[in-house]
Amino acid sequence: MDGAATTLRRELRLRDLIFFDICAIVSLRWVAAAAHAGSGSFVLWILAAVFFFLPSAITVSSLSRKLPEEGGLYIWTKHAFGDQHAFLCGWFYFISNVLYLPSLLLAGIGMTAYAFGGLGQRFAEDRAFALSITLAVLWGAFAANFFGMKVAKWISAFGGSSTFVIGAVLGMLAIVAGVHFGIATKFDLLPKANLDTVNFWSQIAFAFVGLELAPIVSAEIRNPRRDLPRAAVISGVISAALYIGVTAALLVLLKPEEISPMTGLAQAGASAALKLGTPILSVLLASLIGIALAGQLDTWIAGNTRLPYAVGLDRYLPEAFSRVHPRWGTPYVSLLVQAVAATLFLLMAQLGETVRAAYQIMVDMTVIVTFVPFLYIFGAGFKFANRIAAVSGLAVTVIAIVLAAVPPHEAASAVIFEAKVVGGSVFFALLGWMVFKRNEAMRKKRVSVS
């Protein structure tokens, strides 16, 4: 892995890492899902923060200090459990992000279109519109990432800043609308005991995923051993406050049943702007959501691209994955493969489903596939870091994986939903094992010849 430091450029400082972490963690679409679940989601936010997010921060910070190498979770798992488990950890994480990007875009584009009002609201959940715009933005983001961290870090900074402004705008609208028109929701801290709440628990824990992304780009951080733990603490506090604060603002503006899990953020802003006679605020919100989406998309593409690069250096993926562009210093082969894969999964998820149901399938499959690497992360944490934090994180991870397999009522068929979500997750596991075994055999053959 030493070669990583000589081919990738160290562009990221502490300030850049804070914005990078915030963009990785804070996805305001989860706020809409939390508000849709009702005021009881505040308890779920707190439980997820205490029993998953805090253990994640402790574990990731400790492992980043001990093993500050490019590849992050791949390297941690390799030291803890060996090459095959490291490959499967990295494989699942890469696949999870390939699935995550389309679902992120479907939600973000839906919110942006809705916030513009009129025809935008009509197109927000139209399949043809959502698919074409999602593909255009997806490939635009990959093209922008081609130019490396020197460019990508500024997109993350603008995206993170936009997230702050969105929170401030919605908070202001909630205060003014609450004073003049009253609070839309009767606040009850006990979560509702229904299927939506059960399914949402896995998503709210997933909302706190992201601290593990920055260590993957350790070779591009100027002082990873010092700055990664600092950034984790600062961005962690900010992220938790944003989630809880913006959820409260949405519930002040709208009743839970009126909030769409996909476009709820824009709904709340549009509703408040209409009541206050300031439609320009809805347009402003749409623009801010678009910028925040670009920052988040850029951040996840940047981190996820470096993971196959790290595995490629170990020759458990074809050697092409370890190639770096001579001018821009980016793993361009990994970037292209990720773009093609994300496009294919987006098209597959749309088959036979409405936009909302397709979005939910992407989310639930992403939750399962993403939490598998956390079994390894917390396992490595149990071995090398804080055991109490690791056990807490492992428990939440297992619960989240099980609950993500529960079909929502929006699914056209529970059987088809399970086939796509659970069957798809099992398929990825078998495919990853086969890819590893094939490349392991080729690696051994190369060693024996040399």
Side-chain angles (χ1 to χ4, degrees):
M1 296 301 299
D2 293 337
T6 60
T7 55
L8 298 175
R9 301 167 186 171
R10 295 188 181 273
E11 299 282 358
L12 303 178
R13 304 173 184 268
L14 176 61
R15 174 198 61 204
D16 305 316
L17 282 176
I18 292 171
F19 282 117
F20 190 96
D21 279 346
I22 290 170
C23 280
I25 299 166
V26 179
S27 180
L28 293 173
R29 65 194 178 122
W30 300 123
V31 173
H36 178 72
S39 57
S41 60
F42 290 119
V43 172
L44 299 182
W45 277 127
I46 293 170
L47 290 175
V50 172
F51 293 105
F52 181 77
F53 192 44
L54 180 60
S56 296
I58 293 171
T59 302
V60 168
S61 295
S62 297
L63 293 173
S64 296
R65 285 194 190 97
K66 292 178 183 293
L67 301 165
E69 300 177 43
E70 187 84 357
L73 51 89
Y74 170 77
I75 297 299
W76 307 337
T77 305
K78 182 178 178 180
H79 281 269
F81 305 112
D83 287 8
Q84 181 170 336
H85 288 290
F87 178 87
L88 289 175
C89 177
W91 170 267
F92 269 105
Y93 197 79
F94 178 77
I95 293 296
S96 74
N97 283 308
V98 169
L99 292 170
Y100 174 71
L101 296 179
S103 67
L104 169 66
L105 280 169
L106 282 172
I109 289 169
M111 284 190 289
T112 304
Y114 192 97
F116 274 112
L119 287 176
Q121 293 183 7
R122 185 184 303 174
F123 287 134
E125 293 196 16
D126 178 81
R127 181 187 297 182
F129 171 81
L131 185 60
S132 59
I133 297 298
T134 298
L135 287 173
V137 175
L138 183 67
W139 279 89
F142 278 110
N145 241 275
F146 181 77
F147 299 104
M149 282 295 182
K150 191 171 185 178
V151 174
K153 69 179 183 180
W154 291 109
I155 300 176
S156 294
F158 282 120
S161 300
S162 181
T163 301
F164 290 131
V165 178
I166 290 170
V169 169
L170 286 171
M172 177 192 69
L173 289 174
I175 293 171
V176 175
V179 170
H180 286 85
F181 306 102
I183 297 173
T185 303
K186 181 181 178 182
F187 281 77
D188 183 0
L189 294 182
L190 292 177
K192 294 180 180 178
N194 57 34
L195 188 61
D196 284 342
T197 302
V198 170
N199 188 267
F200 174 63
W201 164 246
S202 62
Q203 295 181 33
I204 206 166
F206 181 81
F208 280 120
V209 165
L211 284 176
E212 77 290 342
L213 189 67
I216 295 176
V217 299
S218 289
E220 293 159 271
I221 300 171
R222 299 205 175 184
N223 193 335
R225 196 183 299 272
R226 181 196 67 191
D227 290 343
L228 279 170
R230 290 182 181 181
V233 172
I234 297 170
S235 60
V237 172
I238 293 171
S239 299
L242 276 169
Y243 273 140
I244 294 173
V246 178
T247 300
L250 261 63
L251 289 171
V252 168
L253 295 169
L254 291 173
K255 296 178 181 178
E257 58 271 19
E258 297 172 346
I259 299 173
S260 165
M262 275 189 68
T263 59
L265 197 72
Q267 279 180 312
S271 174
L274 183 63
K275 288 179 181 178
L276 298 173
T278 54
I280 189 65
L281 286 177
S282 185
V283 177
L284 171 64
L285 190 62
S287 303
L288 291 170
I289 290 172
I291 296 170
L293 172 66
Q296 193 172 16
L297 187 64
D298 169 82
T299 298
W300 280 98
I301 289 174
N304 202 40
T305 300
R306 273 67 179 176
L307 194 53
Y309 166 78
V311 180
L313 288 174
D314 276 348
R315 300 296 188 266
Y316 287 119
L317 282 175
E319 189 177 353
F321 281 91
S322 63
R323 292 178 187 166
V324 174
H325 193 276
R327 179 176 181 184
W328 303 111
T330 52
Y332 62 97
V333 174
S334 176
L335 193 66
L336 180 61
V337 169
Q338 187 181 182
V340 172
T343 300
L344 291 175
F345 286 129
L346 175 64
L347 295 174
M348 287 166 56
Q350 290 280 345
L351 294 176
E353 299 285 346
T354 64
V355 170
R356 187 175 298 185
Y359 167 73
Q360 191 62 50
I361 286 172
M362 298 290 287
V363 167
D364 285 333
M365 191 185 294
T366 303
V367 168
I368 292 175
V369 176
T370 297
F371 274 122
V372 171
F374 275 87
L375 297 174
Y376 286 115
I377 292 173
F378 288 119
F382 187 84
K383 199 166 184 178
F384 298 131
N386 187 297
R387 292 192 169 187
I388 295 176
V391 169
S392 177
L394 277 170
V396 173
T397 298
V398 171
I399 292 170
I401 290 173
V402 173
L403 295 183
V406 178
H409 65 267
E410 292 97 342
S413 166
V415 174
I416 294 176
F417 180 90
E418 295 294 350
K420 288 185 177 181
V421 173
V422 179
S425 301
V426 172
F427 168 76
F428 289 132
L430 293 174
L431 182 61
W433 182 82
M434 291 169 61
V435 171
F436 174 80
K437 286 300 181 182
R438 180 179 181 276
N439 285 286
E440 182 185 41
M442 294 177 64
R443 187 173 184 262
K444 289 179 179 178
K445 186 177 180 180
R446 283 193 296 266
V447 171
S448 63
V449 170
S450 61

